[in-house]
Structure formats: structure tokens, C-alpha cells
Amino acid sequence: MSLIESTVHDGLVFPPPADLAARAEVSGMDAYQALIAEAARDYEGFWARLARETVTWRKPFSTTLDETNAPFYKWFEDGELNASYNCLDRHVEAGNGERIAVIFEADDGTVTHVTYRDLLQRVCRLANALRRRGLKKGDRVVIYMPMSIEGIVAMQACARIGATHSVVFGGFSSKSLNERMVDVGATALITCDEQMRGGKALPLKSIADEALAAGGCAAVSSVIVYRRTGGEVQWNPKRDMWLHEITECEADICEPEWVGAEHPLFILYTSGSTGTPKGVQHSTGGFLLWAAQTMKWTFDWKPSDVFWCTADIGWITGHSYIAYGPTAIGATQVVFEGVPTYPNAGRFWNMIARHKVTTFYTAPTAIRSLIKVSDADPSVHPKSFDLSTLRIIGTVGEPINPAAWMWYHEHVGGGRCPVIDTWWQTETGGHMITPLPGVTSLVPGSCTLPLPGILAVVVDETGHDVPNGQGGILVIKRPWPSMIRTVWGDPARFKKGYFPDDLGGKLYLAGDGAIRDKETGYFTITGRIDDVLNVSGHRLGTMEIESALVANAMVAEAAVVGRSDETTGEVVVAFVVLKGPRPEGAAAEKIANELRAWVGKEIGPIAKPKEIRFGENLPKTRSGKIMRRLLRSLAAGEEITQDVSTLENPAILGQLR
Ligand code: WT7
């Protein structure tokens, strides 16, 4: 709270640039308010209008929202469409086939341009090849690919034939990949020989081989391999096939599979408060509508724009704002294979200058790490590059602290580009609370106001509204088209986790805390209220990491908490009790390293604990409950001010401090 009040007080409010506002898709506060009023007057009519204007339907829908089986809401249910048709064919049919869809820059700097016509052709060829292998509507295809044109083509090709894709981030381990393939019931896997990042090759195919061998994957009968590096791979001729070989002989035309609006376009796994990740299931119609609509509203997309979202297709941001949103509106976008620090920390700025990027969307962690480096080395500082083409810059994935916001605004945005701090989640499918570049006066550290049609509010534990200025739980009051439909294979978990009875069963629980400014009503996100960490914008479940740790033969017990970190937002701190004696000194360091590597193998390198502390026990109440609050204070190195009288074993604190 004090943050917003003090920034407002200090005059740190940035009104929208007048010229941008004048030409913006949503131009000025009155236009925004008019949209809000339209949604308030006729909620369904509002969404129906957008869905008709933004999406091309094969068969128009006659009902907008079906609430009969709430919270399993249905949108535009009897409408039929195809996502890939919307993202590709309709632009070619409109005469925009020669427009550049993707400017792909490889890790080593090689640039490839792909037009909408090219992209459609590639998607059709792969879609035909998938059909030839018996894949059809409703089948699940796992995609384990690096950032690549082929990755986008794979997603679109699945959409074209009505297969539901599930992309697994290339940084996940073979075990994580195996679990996801099993849970989703995959019958095909699309992967790559090796991934190139920062000049290093990472063997995706061999990780995939391990995952396939780990059991439960007998149904995966086709493994399609994109040859990226030509590095050596193991080959199972019964199952493995090269992408370039199977697409070579296919036709350039592929009739899309027209699907109902509720047909699952994709399932994307994300972490929650239990030990197992959940498959967030998204629809076709509602998802596509919001991915496209938010491109127009939040990014104020214009045909002359060059859009660049630096996310990976393995996360929701890469689904909504690389694979589907930009293509759905016919945008030209940069797709980048590599990392921001290779060959040096000026890579982002250098690429913005070379590709004349107008709209740049990245994570606060990336900004914070680049601030550090460019403070020490002026040659990689954004001011050493011509960033004058930029007009809108955005952030996503975690809170952005005001200092990083100011640096981004000044040095990347040249003081003239609105900083669009977008709050949303895997489950929401697209932006929810965000400034609009031609509308909103910005306050660093606040994601400002909900988009039209999104009824975000802050409530207490019983689901009642709290007044502005008072912290609480962030909820969404009404269903919206791009919302999660269910947790794949576990509808009870969906209902319990997102529409809990404690809150009355009708409010969507985001899992974040929030507070609204007294005067402006602006939202500031105060962080997760559940056992979910946010490390570099990546969502990690503490329980998942704990399960991974206790799966190690040395470990008796483990508790994982987050500690705030200047660069990555949070880091993972693990408190571990070994089966043997408590190790000290060099022995402790050695075991800690082994356990870190173990977690990397079990989940993926992103989940490795930064710090591991050993104790003979964990601080517990007399009923045996681990006192996590206490562990968080210990991890942060804070003085213990909590009441420890309920603690069974106070002596343990000394060991863990
Ligand atoms: C969680 C969702 C949004 C796509 C990428 C991450 C946090 C996200 C913001 C923001 C503060 C944010 C929340 C949210 N988060 N954006 N602008 N300000 N926090 O998607 O992995 O589903 O994570 O990321 O805690 O719940 P995700």
C-alpha cells in the first residue's frame, strides 16, 4: 500500500503519451470506461460481440456463456472454428500471405524470415504427416522443443487436426517429461535432437529417450524429431522419425479439423500446492479470443508493429503471446532461440535495434539481471543501442519492483514508452489486470486495473470484499472466456483449488494476495498465498521440491520455502533432515551439491535449491506440523519474533539458523 501512496505522493505517475493515446485501440479513459460499462450492462453480449469481431467462426455460436454446470463454464459452445485457420489461413486469404509472420533469430545470430504463406505451408505439411500417422481430433501430443519455428509449427499443426498439445518446457528433466506424457496420455511426442542456448548444445532427444523408457509411455507410437544441430542421437526405427523426412512428401494444403469452441486446444502443466503438477486445460474458442483481443488492447497492435515476447513456448506466455496471440491477429514477431546474456548482455538491445522492434515483452528477472551487468559494462547498457523504434514495453510473470521499473522505463523505453505490467496466470489464458498503453496512468510496481470484462476484486478469507487500502485475496467474480476449463483428469482438484467452498464456491481464486490503492483502485500484487514459489518468473511448488528431496535415499525429511532475492524474485531454500547424522562443514557442502543435482534430475535445473541447510529435525508443533513461517524467517536470516511456545523442539532453531 505504502508503495503506491508514496509514489503517487512523490509524483511518480506516468500518464499515457498523448500521441500514442490518440491512435490507440483503446484511446483514453472514457473509451476504457465505455467498454467496462458495456460489459456491466450486458456481460454476455459484450463477450459475444468481441468473439464475433475477433475470431473467424466456421459455424457461428448461438449461446455465449453456459453456467449450468458451474464452475465448469462453457463459452460459445455450439460455435465451430479452427485455431490454426484463424492464425494462418485467414491472413493469407485476406491477401497478407507475404507478410512476415516470424523473424527467427538463432542462438548464433542466424536470422530466418517466415511469411504467413510459408508458415501455413509448413503447418499443413506437418499436420498431414500427423494425420498419416493416425493422429486425430482429441489425441494428445506432447511437444518437447526448443524455441524454434518448428516448435510453433508443431503447436499449430496439432491445432489444425484437432489434436490437443501439451508443451513441456525444454528445461524439464526426463522424469518431469515422463510424468507429463503419462498423465496426459500422449500418443505422440515431437522433440528435437539438441537445443542450442548460450553456445551450448543440450541433448533433448536423449532426455526424451530416457523419459520414454521410464515406463507408462507404451502408447507413444510416434516420436518426431526436428534436426536442429545434427548432433548424434540414439534411434529407434520403430518409433522415431525425422520431421524433415516425414514432411517432405506431404501436400501444402491440409483441410482444418473444425472443432467446437470448447474443444481442448492445449493442456499445460503448472505447479500448485501439492506434490504433483496439474494439467491446466484450455479451450479453443475462448482462449483464442482472449489471446487475440489482448494483443489488440494491451499491446495496441498495429500492422506496422514488430512484436517481441521473450518467453519460451514451454510456458503460458509463449502460448498466448508467441504461438497464438500474435499469429491470430497477423502480427510480425521476433522469435528468439537463445538467452539474454549470450554472446553478451547486450543481446536483447542489439536485437531490438536490428529488428526494429516496436513492442517488447519480457520478465522482471531478465531486466534485473541485465541492470546488474550493464551497470558494470557500458557497452551492453541499453543506452549504447538505438532503441528508438520501441513504443510499448511490458513485463510479465512476477512483481516488478519500482527501481527495476524505473530503469526499464528510462533506459529501455527512453522515458517515452508505457511500461505494461501484466498480471495473469497459466490458468487465466491471457492478461487480466494490466495497464492499457493509451489509457492508464502508470505507477511503478502496480499492474493497475483489470481489463474490460474482467471482474477482479480483493476479498477476505470468507469471500467478502475488503475496502481499498486493505490487503486480501485476489479473486475474479465472473467467468471469462479464456479461463482454465478443468485440471486434466482431475475435475475435483479444479473445483476445490480454484472455486473453493470457503469463498462461496463462485469466486475464481487466483492464489495471489493483492491490495488496491485507496484513491485510484490500482492493484498491487503482494505475492502468492499458497505454497507456490516464483523463481525468475517460473512457478515452483514447494511440495514438488520436497517430494523430490525425500525421494533421495539419504533424505528422511525436507521442507522447502522461498527467500526473496534481488534478481530472481525468490530463491529456493531447503531444510533437510538426513537419515544418517547431521553433516557439517565440507561433508555438508558435498551432500548439498549432490541433493541439488538430484533435484535437477528429478524436476529440472530451475527447481534446484539455492541453499540447503541440515538439521537433526525440523521445527514442528506438538501435533507434528512443520512451522513454515518460522522456516521462512530462518531462510531470510531474520530475528525470530514469532511465538515459539508451541514448538516441540526449540533447540533445532540454532542448527537451522
Ligand atoms: C503467477 C502466475 C503470467 C504468465 C507467466 C507466469 C505471478 C504473474 C505478475 C505480475 C505480479 C505476477 C503471480 C501469478 N505473476 N504476473 N505482473 N505481477 N505477479 O504464469 O507460471 O502461471 O504464474 O505469477 O503470482 O499467480 P504462471
Side-chain angles (χ1 to χ4, degrees):
M1 179 69 262
S2 55
L3 165 77
I4 295 188
E5 267 175 354
S6 62
T7 35
V8 170
H9 204 255
D10 297 345
L12 282 177
V13 179
F14 300 85
D19 50 338
L20 193 157
R23 303 195 313 123
E25 179 80 21
V26 187
S27 175
M29 192 44 95
D30 290 348
Y32 169 75
Q33 291 296 354
L35 287 165
I36 303 254
E38 183 190 345
R41 230 175 13 249
D42 176 8
Y43 192 67
E44 290 190 34
F46 166 80
W47 287 112
R49 175 178 73 78
L50 296 180
R52 286 190 191 105
E53 287 172 6
T54 302
V55 175
T56 302
W57 298 87
R58 176 69 168 192
K59 175 173 166 261
F61 55 89
S62 64
T63 58
T64 301
L65 170 62
D66 177 356
E67 305 190 69
T68 41
N69 196 21
F72 299 90
Y73 300 100
K74 290 177 173 150
W75 285 90
F76 322 118
E77 198 190 359
D78 61 346
E80 285 178 13
L81 76 164
N82 179 280
S84 127
Y85 175 85
N86 270 272
C87 295
L88 304 167
D89 307 56
R90 68 167 169 170
H91 309 311
V92 176
E93 287 169 13
N96 293 320
E98 302 320 309
R99 187 184 285 170
I100 302 295
V102 174
I103 303 168
F104 177 71
E105 182 156 321
D107 192 53
D108 68 1
T110 309
V111 175
T112 312
H113 288 89
V114 184
T115 65
Y116 272 95
R117 189 183 306 286
D118 295 337
L119 197 58
L120 172 61
Q121 186 180 324
R122 288 186 188 220
V123 168
C124 285
R125 286 179 167 227
L126 179 56
N128 284 328
L130 294 176
R131 274 197 180 137
R132 192 179 295 279
R133 272 140 200 97
L135 288 155
K136 56 181 189 315
K137 180 176 163 188
D139 290 347
R140 275 86 58 208
V141 176
V142 167
I143 298 175
Y144 186 60
M145 293 275 267
M147 286 300 292
S148 52
I149 299 161
E150 287 71 11
I152 297 169
V153 168
M155 293 166 80
Q156 291 278 351
C158 289
R160 194 158 191 95
I161 63 165
T164 299
H165 61 66
S166 187
V167 182
V168 177
F169 174 58
F172 277 119
S173 68
S174 63
K175 185 153 183 281
S176 294
L177 175 60
N178 171 269
E179 282 166 5
R180 285 158 176 76
M181 285 195 291
V182 172
D183 190 79
V184 88
T187 52
L189 170 67
I190 307 178
T191 186
C192 163
D193 56 354
E194 294 179 305
Q195 167 175 25
M196 287 302 298
R197 279 165 66 83
K200 287 199 270 301
L202 298 144
L204 289 196
K205 172 66 163 65
S206 79
I207 298 172
D209 287 339
E210 248 178 66
L212 288 160
C217 296
V220 182
S221 52
S222 307
V223 176
I224 299 166
V225 187
Y226 157 50
R227 187 151 77 194
R228 165 64 184 88
T229 64
E232 213 175 296
V233 289
Q234 300 282 320
W235 207 252
N236 175 348
K238 285 207 200 75
R239 183 196 71 185
D240 298 349
M241 55 201 92
W242 289 110
L243 186 137
H244 63 272
E245 285 180 7
I246 60 164
T247 49
E248 220 165 46
C249 54
E250 294 292 348
D252 295 341
I253 292 170
C254 172
E255 175 65 13
E257 179 82 31
W258 305 103
V259 299
E262 282 297 317
H263 180 70
L265 178 61
F266 66 86
I267 294 159
L268 184 61
Y269 284 84
T270 190
S271 297
S273 351
T274 77
T276 38
K278 47 193 170 185
V280 172
Q281 181 182 319
H282 276 287
S283 71
T284 302
F287 173 81
L288 197 69
L289 162 62
W290 203 225
Q293 193 65 49
T294 48
M295 282 300 298
K296 295 190 207 172
W297 281 351
T298 312
F299 295 120
D300 185 38
W301 177 75
K302 301 271 185 281
S304 54
D305 278 337
V306 177
F307 179 78
W308 183 15
C309 165
T310 69
D312 192 286
I313 52 166
W315 309 114
I316 189 67
T317 311
H319 285 60
S320 309
Y321 300 109
I322 296 176
Y324 291 108
T327 54
I329 55 161
T332 296
Q333 67 174 322
V334 172
V335 173
F336 178 42
E337 182 181 43
V339 298
T341 48
Y342 178 83
N344 60 53
R347 183 70 181 263
F348 276 179
W349 325 131
N350 176 292
M351 283 180 62
I352 291 171
R354 272 189 292 112
H355 300 304
K356 303 192 169 19
V357 171
T358 61
T359 316
F360 181 64
Y361 191 36
T362 197
T365 289
I367 297 166
R368 286 192 295 262
S369 64
L370 295 175
I371 293 175
K372 260 204 217 160
V373 194
S374 53
D375 280 351
D377 177 1
S379 76
V380 297
H381 193 285
K383 69 183 176 211
S384 307
F385 298 84
D386 176 8
L387 306 182
S388 60
T389 51
L390 284 175
R391 57 182 205 97
I392 293 165
I393 55 178
T395 66
V396 57
E398 50 180 322
I400 178 160
N401 51 307
W405 193 105
M406 292 299 291
W407 185 91
Y408 192 40
H409 183 256
E410 184 180 336
H411 296 295
V412 179
R416 72 182 182 279
C417 305
V419 174
I420 304 302
D421 173 359
T422 60
W423 177 86
W424 58 296
Q425 311 176 292
T426 303
E427 294 87 344
T428 70
H431 303 151
M432 298 293 278
I433 307 179
T434 174
L436 292 176
V439 173
T440 321
S441 287
L442 307 171
V443 173
S446 168
C447 53
T448 75
L449 295 169
L451 286 172
I454 303 299
L455 302 178
V457 288
V458 180
V459 299
D460 62 20
E461 285 82 12
T462 60
H464 293 96
D465 288 22
V466 300
N468 289 356
Q470 196 176 309
I473 300 169
L474 177 60
V475 299
I476 314 295
K477 274 196 157 163
R478 295 280 280 135
W480 66 102
S482 66
M483 67 190 294
I484 173 177
R485 292 306 194 266
T486 189
V487 171
W488 178 257
D490 199 349
R493 187 173 177 190
F494 164 73
K495 194 162 185 292
K496 197 164 158 264
Y498 297 106
F499 293 89
D501 290 337
D502 303 356
L503 298 179
K506 287 211 163 271
L507 301 174
Y508 169 81
L509 176 68
D512 281 323
I515 186 163
R516 300 186 70 169
D517 181 70
K518 271 191 202 143
E519 278 163 52
T520 58
Y522 279 14
F523 286 75
T524 288
I525 305 299
T526 51
R528 297 289 304 192
I529 55 167
D530 53 10
D531 293 323
V532 168
L533 305 182
N534 191 326
V535 178
S536 301
H538 297 150
R539 194 160 143 183
L540 298 170
T542 52
M543 286 269 285
E544 269 174 69
I545 306 173
E546 287 165 7
S547 311
L549 283 166
V550 297
N552 185 288
M554 290 186 286
V555 176
E557 236 186 325
V560 166
V561 298
R563 178 177 67 216
S564 70
D565 181 85
E566 258 191 20
T567 307
T568 60
E570 277 187 296
V571 293
V572 177
V573 179
F575 295 88
V576 171
V577 182
L578 296 183
K579 286 175 185 160
R582 172 173 178 260
E584 284 178 272
E589 202 36 53
K590 186 171 165 280
I591 297 175
N593 283 335
E594 281 172 38
L595 291 178
R596 260 194 286 274
W598 172 266
V599 172
K601 266 299 225 185
E602 287 283 297
I603 304 175
I606 49 169
K608 283 186 189 177
K610 174 97 178 184
E611 195 183 322
I612 298 183
R613 298 189 193 178
F614 296 99
E616 278 158 3
N617 206 334
L618 296 171
K620 289 180 191 152
T621 61
R622 286 193 186 99
S623 59
K625 202 168 158 332
I626 295 172
M627 293 182 76
R628 286 173 178 281
R629 264 186 316 123
L630 215 54
L631 290 176
R632 277 192 281 270
S633 300
L634 283 171
E638 292 164 5
E639 208 55 54
I640 304 289
T641 52
Q642 291 109 321
D643 178 14
V644 292
S645 59
T646 54
L647 197 58
E648 164 82 17
N649 46 358
I652 219 70
L653 296 181
Q655 287 183 356
L656 299 172
R657 188 165 278 132

